[in-house]
Amino acid sequence: MRNSILLFLGCLLFHLAGTWSLPLIDRDEPRFAEASREMRERCEYVIPYFNNQYRFDKPPLTYWCEIASFRLFGENDFAARFPTAIAAALVSTVLFGWGTRLRGKQTGWWAAIVFALALQTFLHGKAAVADMWLVLFFTLAHWSAWELLNANSYRPKWWWIFYLSLALGFLAKGPVGWIPLLSVVLAKWFYKETDFNALFRFFVGIPLTLAIVGAWGVPALMRTNGEFFRVGIVHHVIGRSLAPMEGHGASSLAMYFALLPFYFLTFLVSFFPWSTRLLALWNDLRTNRDATDKFLLSGTLLIFAIFTLVKTKLPHYTLPAFPLIALLLARRFEAVRLSRSAVVWSAGIYLVIALFATPLLAQFFPSRRLVRESRLDLKPEMEFGAIDYTEPSLVWYFRDQVRGFMTTLKRKDAVRYMTEPGPRFTVLPTKLVSEIFPNPDPNWRIYRARGFNIPKGQRVDLTMLLKPE
């Protein structure tokens, strides 16, 4: 227990490092943070909103966690990221426990360390998004399934953990949280003498999972007239599988086939520095693997196969497989030559980046810079609009000072908007100012910020025109 507590606290501090100095990164982090704030403002814990509009992209678990963090630390970037750091630290702690059960404490330590120090874990262990919660419940579901399979008897503790993890995995990120069920189905090939129905009691467990999800899902569907299902499942799950979302993936059949190796290539970077040990792992698995190895491999290959077939592609989609691969490496840490020096230098580099590089990067986030420069002129009752730059970070940062919501403006409507009664401001690319507002009112305040639009990979130069009264 003491080792688990120390590991959790150490990982938590590691993942929190630098989260207070790096602004939230467009587009997903500000969306989650702002939706959590609006859920809290409305005292509405079933239906998420972003910028006063329904947000059906994800189920509510991440929002609930961020709301709890906001109550502790206030509505700020650190608080938005704090729950993710907890989830990442819990994954390492779970791996320590599972690895210890597999082959002693040394295996447990290596499993936790390999996961914590993978590059993609370092990045997403700090991100205010849903992925790390999915990874946590994905890992818990696989561990509990393994315990049931290897005990070859019904064990209530692990049975409950398995189905609760499936339910919470869905509440974190939707149907992908149920992939461990497929891992159990595949396990029938190498646990041939096992009575799966007696162990897993599917006819009781699956309705239990559905009932937990339904406690949120049924009210959400009823209150939105089924829109949550049509957008959240049909569009964002099925649609993501059949067509690329927001430009992430193949736009043609030829490109789709060209991108089939996408995850096998990006994984070499995402899992660095441990990807350098994968060849040794493969060579050992070819000649020496047992039922546990096959179980871990099946869960890993399912993730890669499913997201390889899905048209929308992002490097972090394979993150749920990282704990399983970490366990495969940790089980044979001597054979694959896991290096303590790799632990030291990778942890050192990550901490230097988190503590010293992120404050330097903060200057390239124009939304936060505009808010800081105009803070003294902002009033709660102000309205605000945006032209040709409507990134979610504008909503997150400006609504810290302003109660209203962002209005997306067309160029032809901008002058009328700014001349309406009441204090207000508009954010737009600097190159459009002379075209849209050739003679701005001399009483207006003007602020300017240069930076970088990360989702689009473009430099941006923004101007904010503020009418005080």
Side-chain angles (χ1 to χ4, degrees), residues 4-311:
S4 296
I5 293 173
L6 290 175
L7 174 65
F8 171 78
L9 293 175
C11 288
L12 179 61
L13 292 174
F14 173 74
H15 292 301
L16 285 175
T19 54
W20 53 82
S21 57
L22 184 68
L24 297 190
I25 299 173
D26 280 314
R27 297 182 175 99
D28 287 340
E29 282 196 292
R31 284 173 176 163
F32 274 96
E34 176 59 24
S36 301
R37 172 159 58 196
E38 292 184 34
M39 187 176 270
R40 184 185 179 198
E41 287 175 347
R42 295 169 180 271
C43 293
E44 165 58 86
Y45 302 107
V46 175
I47 311 298
Y49 287 77
F50 173 81
N51 197 36
N52 206 33
Q53 302 293 322
Y54 285 143
R55 172 168 163 79
F56 296 135
D57 299 46
K58 296 292 183 293
L61 181 66
T62 305
Y63 308 129
W64 294 341
C65 295
E66 290 189 8
I67 288 169
S69 184
F70 288 164
R71 292 185 184 278
L72 288 174
F73 304 110
E75 295 170 358
N76 54 64
D77 297 347
F78 171 82
R81 290 175 170 143
F82 183 75
T84 293
I86 289 180
L90 285 173
V91 175
S92 290
T93 308
V94 167
L95 286 174
F96 175 74
W98 190 0
T100 300
R101 294 274 294 162
L102 285 173
R103 195 168 288 177
K105 287 186 178 179
Q106 194 164 13
T107 298
W109 280 113
W110 272 117
I113 290 169
V114 167
F115 174 77
L117 295 182
L119 177 59
Q120 196 63 250
T121 305
F122 168 70
L123 297 175
H124 266 75
K126 301 177 181 296
V129 293
D131 296 270
M132 202 54 68
W133 288 107
L134 172 67
V135 174
L136 173 62
F137 298 120
F138 191 94
T139 307
L140 277 170
H142 276 92
W143 181 13
S144 53
W146 178 85
E147 291 283 356
L148 289 168
L149 290 168
N150 283 272
N152 200 20
S153 63
Y154 171 69
R155 302 176 68 185
K157 168 187 171 182
W158 294 109
W159 184 90
W160 277 98
I161 291 174
F162 179 71
Y163 288 106
L164 285 173
S165 296
L166 293 179
L168 293 172
F170 185 99
L171 291 175
K173 209 172 177 183
V176 68
W178 290 345
I179 288 178
L181 270 176
L182 297 179
S183 297
V184 170
V185 172
L186 289 181
K188 289 187 175 183
W189 289 8
F190 37 88
Y191 286 94
K192 295 182 179 180
E193 305 301 321
T194 300
D195 185 347
F196 280 74
N197 288 326
L199 292 184
F200 289 93
R201 303 190 179 188
F202 297 112
F203 293 108
V204 178
I206 292 176
L208 172 66
T209 296
L210 293 175
I212 295 171
V213 173
W216 161 77
V218 171
L221 292 175
M222 292 176 64
R223 289 165 58 178
T224 61
N225 297 315
E227 195 69 14
F228 218 123
F229 179 82
R230 287 192 293 271
V231 178
I233 301 298
V234 176
H235 177 67
H236 282 284
V237 176
I238 298 174
R240 192 176 296 270
S241 303
L242 301 177
M245 291 280 185
E246 296 182 341
H248 302 306
S251 57
S252 66
L253 186 61
M255 183 61 70
Y256 173 75
F257 284 108
L259 286 177
L260 287 179
F262 177 82
Y263 289 112
F264 297 96
L265 298 175
T266 58
F267 180 71
L268 298 177
V269 177
S270 295
F271 201 60
F272 189 82
W274 314 113
S275 51
T276 59
R277 302 291 87 209
L278 293 178
L279 182 59
L281 173 64
W282 173 246
N283 288 333
D284 194 68
L285 284 172
R286 286 196 304 171
T287 58
N288 179 28
R289 61 180 180 270
D290 57 17
T292 295
D293 291 321
K294 294 175 183 177
F295 179 73
L296 296 173
L297 278 170
S298 66
T300 299
L301 293 176
L302 272 172
I303 285 289
F304 276 83
I306 288 171
F307 287 110
T308 293
L309 295 175
V310 168
K311 280 197 170 183

Side-chain angles (χ1 to χ4, degrees), residues 308-426:
T308 293
L309 295 175
V310 168
K311 280 197 170 183
T312 301
K313 298 190 187 307
L314 286 169
H316 68 271
Y317 281 0
T318 56
L319 194 56
F322 282 26
L324 307 182
I325 302 171
L327 285 165
L328 284 168
L329 286 168
R331 291 192 79 200
R332 40 185 54 79
F333 61 89
E334 292 178 343
V336 301
R337 297 181 181 179
L338 294 179
S339 168
R340 289 180 173 84
S341 62
V343 174
V344 174
W345 66 255
S346 58
I349 291 173
Y350 290 153
L351 286 173
V352 168
I353 292 172
L355 295 175
F356 300 104
T358 51
L360 299 176
L361 293 173
Q363 62 183 308
F364 297 104
F365 290 74
S367 297
R368 191 174 77 161
R369 286 189 60 194
L370 283 176
V371 172
R372 291 194 167 189
E373 292 179 12
S374 63
R375 184 177 298 272
L376 295 179
D377 286 319
L378 296 176
K379 301 175 182 179
E381 66 273 17
M382 277 183 162
E383 297 185 33
F384 71 103
I387 306 168
D388 289 1
Y389 188 87
T390 56
E391 296 299 339
S393 57
L394 284 177
V395 183
W396 165 247
Y397 285 111
F398 275 111
R399 288 205 72 246
D400 186 48
Q401 302 293 316
V402 177
R403 287 195 299 265
F405 299 95
M406 182 179 72
T407 300
T408 300
L409 298 171
K410 296 180 180 179
R411 298 183 189 184
K412 62 184 180 64
D413 299 325
V415 173
R416 176 191 55 77
Y417 179 82
M418 285 297 291
T419 55
E420 288 180 357
R424 62 191 59 235
F425 60 88
T426 296

